[in-house]
Amino acid sequence: MFTTRPELTGTYGMVASTHWLGSATGMAVLESGGNAFDAAVAAGFVLQVAEPHLCGPAGQVPALFTTADDPTPRLLAAQGPSAAAATPEHFADLGLDLIPGSGLLPSTVPGAWDGWLLLLRDHGTKSLREVLGYAISYAENGVPLVDRVSATIDLVADLFTDHWPTSAEIWLPDGKSAKGVHRNPTLARTWTRLLEEAEAVSGREAQIDAARRAWSQGFVAEYVDAFSRKAFRDDSGRDHAGLLTGDDLASWEATYEDAVVVDLDGWSLVKAGGWTQGPALAQQVLLLDGLRDELSYVDGKPTARTVHLAVEAAKLAFADREAWYGDSGDVPLDDLLSREYAAQRRELIGDEASGELRPGSPGGRTPRLPKILDSLRDVTAAVGAVGEPTVMPTGETRGDTVHIDVADRFGNLVSATPSGGWLQSSPAIPELGFCLDSRGQMFWLEQGLPNSLAPRKRPRITLSPSMALRDGEPRIAFGTPGGDQQDQWQLCFWLAHTLGGLNLQESIDAPNWHTTAFPSSFYPRSWSPRELVVESRLGQSTMDQLTAWGHHVVDGGAWGLGRLSAVSHENGVLRAAANPRGMQGYAVGR
C-alpha cells in the first residue's frame, strides 16, 4: 500500500498495526488533522481493548520515533521498574528459584499510561479526550473479539473460576468465555474518571500531566496498592501476595533515551538500548554483513544457506544478550556492536548447527551466565515450536504483544511495541477493570548478572521496536510481537528487504524462522539448543538440508511465525504493509 507525500492535498499518512481497529483508529486521527504521535497513542489505547490478551492498561510501551524537525531517533522508555520490596531475599524466603510468570509477584510498575501520555504531551497535538475517546467507546459499547481472545480465556477458565474470580467477572460472563462483542464498562469508567480529573485543570499539557498524576499518585495507585496486598494463585502452584505499592507508582515516570544506531552500508538500523534485547538484532546484522556473498533469496524465499547462517548468527547474538544485556548501567554496547567484535564472533559460525550457548568476551571481559541454565534445557514451556503466543492453564504466557507503526504527512515516524497487562497475567483489579503485568518474570534471581533482580530495576524486556535510516534520513518503522522471537523475525524481514530486494509487503510475507537455542525470557526459561522452527513455505528441500546440517527442524506451519508490520516514506511516497498471518493485521493510508 502506498500514497503520495505530505505536502500534497488530501494526503494524511500511513498506519500499520496488529489489529484492524488499531490501524483504523490511527487513520481516523490522522484524517482529523492529528500527527503520527496522536495516531499512535489513540491506536495504542484501542489495542488495549481489541487485543486484551496481548496488551493492557497496566502494561508497558517502548517506542522509537523521529520528528519532522529532527531526524535523530529517540526512544520512549515506558517500562516501569520492579517494586521496592522486590528483593532476591523475598523470593528466597518463598522458596522460589524463578519468578513466576503469572499472578501478582512478577508485576512491575505500570508504564503504558504514563508513556503514552508523555509522548502525547511532548509531540502530539490532540487533547487527551480526543485520543482516548476511541478506546473508551469500544470499552463501553463493545469490541468484536478475535477468536484468539476467546481461545486464551478458554485455556485459563478454570484458573479464573477457582482462583481469580475478579477476572472471571470480566472474561467469563454467564460462566462462559467471552465471545463476539464484548464490553468492559469498568475499564471505560476508569478512563472516564481519569479524563474528568484531567479536565479539572485548564490547558492541554496541564490536563495530560494531571491525568498522569491521577494514575500514579491518585485513585489508580490506591487501588493497585490495596489489591497487591491480597494473595492469589500463580504458576508456582501456590498463592502469593504482590509487592507493588502506591509509592512505587508515585516514584516513577516514563522518560526518553538515546536510541542505538548501527551504520550498515547506507542503512542505519535503530534499536532500543542494552537494557532491552533490541541490540541483538543489530548484532545479528553485523555478523551477517561479513557473509553477504553467501546470502541470497530465490523467488522470494531465502536459500538454506541463508537460513543456516542467520540462525547461527542469532545463537551468538542471543548468547551475548544473556551474558551482557540488562538494566545494569554497564552494558558494553560499543564493543558488542563494533565491526571488530563481529568479525571475531563470525569465526565461530560453521557449516554445522551449534548446540552450545557461546557468549563472547567484549573488550576482554569474562561473560557470566546463570548457573541454573543447564537444568532448564528442554523444560516443557508454553511456546517453542509455534509462532503465535501460547497460554498455559496456569496463566503462564510467553511473548504476547502488539505493534504499531505510523508515518504522517508532516514527516514524523513512530514504531511502538506495547505489551504487558495481558488479561491472563494476573487477577483483574475489580475497581479498575484491568490487571497488572507479569514482566518481572524476566529477571534472574541469581545475583551478579546484568539482568539480576534488584529493587526498582527494569527487567530486560523482549519488546523491540525498530526503525531504519537511509543515508541519514528516517525511512522505515517496523516491528512484530513475539517475545524472544521479535528480533529473529525482524531479521527475516530485514534480510528479505535489504538483501532480497523485496518490498515491504513481500518482506513480511516471506517465510520466517526462529531458533529456541538460548534461554527464554519467560517462565520457566526453557531452551532447546538445536531447535529451529520454520514456516514450511521455505520448501521441503530447504528443510531437509537444514536437518542435514544438524538443526532440529520443526514445522511451524505455512503461515505460523511472526506478526510484522511496517511503514516507510521515500522520495515523496508513503507506504505501509501488515501481516496476513492470523488475518487481523491491517495497513491503511490516505
Side-chain angles (χ1 to χ4, degrees):
M1 168 175 289
F2 71 92
T3 187
T4 51
R5 218 343 249 263
E7 300 76 14
L8 300 182
T9 302
T11 296
Y12 296 96
M14 285 284 181
V15 185
S17 82
T18 50
H19 193 287
W20 65 87
L21 287 179
S23 299
T25 297
M27 195 66 228
V29 172
L30 292 178
E31 290 181 327
S32 71
N35 66 16
F37 300 99
D38 299 314
V41 174
F45 283 123
V46 165
L47 290 177
Q48 293 174 8
V49 186
E51 296 194 276
H53 60 314
L54 304 176
C55 70
Q60 49 280 146
V61 54
L64 293 168
F65 64 90
T66 58
T67 68
D69 298 326
D70 186 356
T72 305
R74 294 283 285 163
L75 171 71
L76 170 70
Q79 165 64 59
S82 58
T87 64
E89 292 79 13
H90 179 81
F91 286 89
D93 289 343
L94 296 176
L96 298 173
D97 56 5
L98 290 173
I99 298 176
S102 64
L104 297 178
L105 275 177
S107 298
T108 59
V109 173
W113 176 262
D114 198 73
W116 282 130
L117 266 61
L118 179 66
L119 197 67
L120 178 68
R121 186 197 70 184
D122 294 346
H123 297 288
T125 64
K126 297 283 190 178
S127 69
L128 180 58
R129 179 173 291 275
E130 288 176 302
V131 298
L132 188 57
Y134 299 91
I136 292 176
S137 178
Y138 281 123
E140 178 66 36
N141 299 311
V143 63
L145 298 179
V146 296
D147 291 343
R148 188 68 187 170
V149 179
S150 299
T152 298
I153 300 168
D154 287 342
L155 288 166
V156 291
D158 289 345
L159 174 69
F160 285 8
T161 300
D162 297 340
H163 300 286
W164 296 2
T166 56
S167 295
E169 290 177 10
I170 297 175
W171 301 109
L172 293 171
D174 302 319
K176 298 179 180 179
S177 298
K179 290 180 172 61
V181 176
H182 181 262
R183 299 173 60 247
N184 189 345
T186 304
L187 175 57
R189 287 193 295 271
T190 295
W191 278 333
T192 299
R193 182 175 173 182
L194 286 164
L195 265 183
E196 291 171 348
E197 297 203 16
E199 293 174 344
V201 301
S202 299
R204 175 183 171 276
E205 292 185 8
Q207 288 181 353
I208 292 172
D209 282 336
R212 296 171 70 195
R213 289 192 299 273
W215 178 285
S216 63
Q217 301 173 38
F219 75 95
V220 172
E222 291 174 2
Y223 284 129
V224 169
D225 186 299
F227 193 74
S228 292
R229 299 173 190 271
K230 301 177 182 180
F232 292 94
R233 184 63 48 88
D234 57 42
D235 55 16
S236 72
R238 293 183 280 147
D239 293 357
H240 293 111
L243 299 171
L244 279 182
T245 66
D247 186 59
D248 289 321
L249 271 69
S251 66
W252 178 84
E253 292 183 351
T255 57
Y256 300 113
E257 297 180 3
D258 291 336
V260 173
V261 182
V262 176
D263 294 327
L264 301 145
D265 298 324
W267 285 102
S268 296
L269 180 61
V270 182
K271 298 298 294 184
W275 64 273
T276 78
Q277 78 169 17
L281 178 59
Q283 283 197 250
Q284 292 172 86
V285 171
L286 283 167
L287 283 163
L288 293 173
D289 191 54
L291 299 170
R292 291 179 64 89
D293 291 345
E294 299 183 58
L295 307 176
S296 61
Y297 276 66
V298 178
D299 297 328
K301 297 179 182 180
T303 62
R305 183 66 174 170
T306 299
V307 176
H308 169 74
L309 294 174
V311 170
E312 295 306 297
K315 292 176 184 178
L316 295 173
F318 280 87
D320 277 343
R321 181 198 74 167
E322 202 52 61
W324 300 109
Y325 293 16
D327 193 24
S328 59
D330 60 354
V331 182
L333 280 185
D334 287 346
D335 289 320
L336 288 167
L337 298 176
S338 70
R339 290 189 175 274
E340 294 76 16
Y341 182 73
Q344 172 192 342
R345 297 283 279 160
R346 194 179 299 123
E347 296 298 318
L348 296 176
I349 298 177
D351 294 333
E352 296 290 324
S354 171
E356 302 177 58
L357 192 66
R358 300 178 291 177
S361 301
R365 302 169 181 86
T366 301
R368 181 175 174 186
L369 296 172
K371 296 175 183 176
I372 198 174
L373 287 189
D374 282 345
S375 68
L376 301 178
R377 287 183 184 233
D378 299 312
V379 172
T380 300
V383 167
V386 295
E388 281 300 296
T390 302
V391 184
M392 297 293 280
T394 58
E396 174 193 326
T397 307
R398 301 173 66 211
D400 293 60
T401 308
V402 300
H403 186 77
I404 309 161
D405 298 305
V406 188
D408 68 19
R409 58 179 170 166
F410 308 109
N412 301 304
L413 195 62
V414 180
S415 174
T417 309
S419 187
W422 317 307
L423 67 87
Q424 65 276 15
S425 294
S426 62
I429 302 173
E431 298 86 355
L432 298 177
F434 61 79
C435 64
L436 297 173
D437 82 319
S438 56
R439 194 63 58 178
Q441 66 183 292
M442 296 181 166
F443 286 116
W444 293 109
L445 292 176
E446 179 184 337
Q447 294 301 286
L449 304 168
N451 191 35
S452 294
L453 175 68
R456 294 192 172 166
K457 177 181 179 180
R458 293 176 296 185
R460 185 200 66 213
I461 59 174
T462 55
L463 309 176
S464 192
S466 295
M467 295 183 71
L469 315 180
R470 186 68 170 169
D471 298 323
E473 294 297 320
R475 177 70 59 83
I476 307 173
F478 63 99
T480 179
D484 296 294
Q485 287 77 44
Q486 287 183 36
D487 285 301
Q488 297 189 72
W489 294 336
Q490 290 183 83
L491 177 66
C492 299
F493 169 86
W494 181 263
L495 293 176
H497 187 60
T498 65
L499 174 72
L502 306 183
N503 65 33
L504 294 187
Q505 190 62 57
E506 291 169 337
S507 298
I508 290 173
D509 292 352
N512 283 342
W513 64 86
H514 70 264
T515 180
T516 59
F518 52 86
S520 169
S521 297
F522 299 85
Y523 183 92
R525 316 303 294 269
S526 175
W527 57 299
S528 301
R530 287 188 175 84
E531 183 175 79
L532 170 58
V533 187
V534 304
E535 288 187 322
S536 57
R537 291 180 295 118
L538 281 175
Q540 191 60 53
S541 62
T542 295
M543 294 166 67
D544 289 344
Q545 182 61 71
L546 291 166
T547 299
W549 287 332
H551 298 280
H552 296 170
V553 178
V554 178
D555 184 349
W559 295 87
L561 308 180
R563 296 176 66 215
L564 284 145
S565 63
V567 298
S568 72
H569 55 79
E570 177 184 7
N571 299 326
V573 177
L574 301 178
R575 294 180 171 86
N579 176 58
R581 302 163 179 87
M583 300 301 288
Q584 67 182 68
Y586 195 66
V588 61
R590 186 162 79 83

